[in-house]
Amino acid sequence: VLAPVAALVGGGAIGGGAGGGGHAPRPAPPLHDTASAFLAACAGHSLALVWLVLLPCKALARLAPGLLPLRLTLTDPARDVPADLVLFHVLLPLALEHARGGDAAARAA
């Protein structure tokens, strides 16, 4: 059972080493392949950013011109709650309870 795992790690036998029947290391891909993959990923992410952020904002600005630019006034003390307080004391316990399923607080006690 452990022999395939040891072969993936670098040794053919359980102990590893050169005489274990492992495979030769794979050579690094050429630089132009790596650069083209990087540029393709940059182009894809840029396109996704335009589609998912810029175009909806432009559409919202055309459909509701009075909405953008969005101006929020946070002078109400009830809204002046630190983000880490909301995250760690409200959202994180709710997410953990949802991930575990059911009442996680009752099982932890």
Side-chain angles (χ1 to χ4, degrees):
V1 174
L2 294 177
V5 173
L8 289 175
V9 173
I14 298 296
H23 301 286
R26 187 171 47 175
L31 182 62
H32 62 83
D33 288 347
T34 305
S36 65
F38 174 73
L39 290 175
C42 286
H45 284 92
S46 299
L47 190 60
L49 186 67
V50 167
W51 280 348
L52 297 174
V53 176
L54 182 68
L55 292 179
C57 287
K58 293 280 186 182
L60 185 63
R62 286 187 187 261
L63 293 174
L67 187 62
L68 291 177
L70 186 61
R71 293 182 192 96
L72 295 175
T73 56
L74 298 176
T75 57
D76 186 16
R79 292 186 193 177
D80 196 19
V81 177
D84 60 347
L85 179 79
V86 174
L87 176 69
F88 292 119
H89 293 275
V90 177
L91 298 179
L92 190 63
L94 286 174
L96 288 175
E97 183 177 341
H98 179 73
R100 291 181 184 166
D103 191 16
R107 280 185 278 159

